[in-house]
Amino acid sequence: MRLKQVGKAKLPTLWGNFLIVGFEEKLTRQNHVALIYGSILGSEPVLTRIHSECLTGDALFSSRCDCGFQLNTALNYITTEGQGILIYHRQEGRNIGLLNKIQAYSLQDNGADTVEANQCLGFHADERDFTICADILKLLNIHTIRLLTNNPQKIKVLDNSNINIVERVPLIVGRNSKNAKYLNTKESKLGHLFNLRHKQ
């Protein structure tokens, strides 16, 4: 296993009281966390959100993406459900890093879409590695989930990593005039699913 669990602690939030669990990649020393709400042991399938780090959306309230809206809504869904897990996946800007993401924003300001901007900087449209999230789930002894996502790539990678997804729960929130092109590009070029709940 390329990850190790480092520590855990209580984390009170606006949505409720979570347990935060820290993980470290052994090779890169990159850190990720899981927020666990309620008793998830023995209660599979577990409502699960994999949320990729977005400083601008999550912490700075940017409206040029839907990330912050999705984070807040996912935490609300989990606490309303009474149990669940949110993995905060530390791969900023689809894993191109914060400063490269700011350069990508500049290219978007001049007409590029989010995919073209990443490619202009020499990256793939999406550089993220979701197998790390599968490893986190396995370390927590979670194997069957209901996945909060619009992203078919997450479904594919987790399925190939022997995580059983019994249901996709859409997370369609936060559309506005500033992020409409971004969301349309995610749908047309990255295949994101902006539709109703779908059983696998």
Side-chain angles (χ1 to χ4, degrees), residues 13-189:
T13 75
L14 293 174
W15 295 271
N17 297 319
F18 288 80
L19 179 70
I20 185 169
V21 185
F23 298 88
E24 182 179 81
E25 294 182 49
K26 294 176 183 177
L27 183 62
T28 66
R29 306 290 299 274
Q30 176 65 287
N31 304 146
H32 309 275
V33 298
L35 299 180
I36 299 171
Y37 187 79
S39 178
I40 60 173
L41 292 178
S43 61
E44 294 183 325
V46 177
L47 183 62
T48 301
R49 169 65 180 167
I50 292 171
H51 188 86
S52 295
E53 180 178 27
C54 178
L55 177 71
T56 48
D58 298 341
L60 301 178
F61 313 107
S62 169
S63 58
R64 56 188 304 161
C65 65
D66 58 343
C67 302
F69 301 103
Q70 288 189 320
L71 177 60
N72 294 347
T73 303
L75 290 170
N76 185 61
Y77 277 9
I78 288 168
T79 53
T80 300
E81 181 92 0
Q83 62 86 29
I85 179 172
L86 184 141
I87 296 173
Y88 199 80
H89 185 220
R90 301 285 312 282
Q91 294 192 350
E92 176 77 48
R94 300 201 193 108
N95 207 23
I96 68 172
L98 178 61
L99 299 185
N100 284 320
K101 186 171 83 167
I102 293 170
Q103 293 182 68
Y105 278 172
S106 179
L107 292 169
Q108 291 169 48
D109 290 342
N110 288 288
D113 64 36
T114 181
V115 168
E116 293 165 346
N118 278 22
Q119 292 171 339
C120 284
L121 293 172
F123 299 105
H124 295 296
D126 193 337
E127 297 270 348
R128 289 173 292 183
D129 178 7
F130 295 117
T131 62
I132 292 167
C133 303
D135 290 345
I136 288 173
L137 290 170
K138 290 173 184 176
L139 281 171
L140 293 171
N141 201 30
I142 297 171
H143 302 280
T144 303
I145 66 173
R146 297 164 55 226
L147 187 62
L148 277 161
T149 191
N150 306 322
N151 186 348
Q153 187 62 22
K154 289 180 185 176
I155 297 170
K156 179 180 178 181
V157 171
L158 292 181
D159 185 62
N160 289 340
S161 300
N162 297 314
I163 299 296
N164 181 25
I165 303 170
V166 298
E167 183 180 10
R168 181 183 75 84
V169 183
L171 198 57
I172 304 169
V173 293
R175 180 179 284 269
N176 60 67
S177 61
K178 299 293 192 301
N179 67 18
K181 181 178 179 181
Y182 166 83
L183 294 177
N184 291 339
T185 300
K186 287 211 295 186
E187 183 174 24
S188 63
K189 292 190 175 182

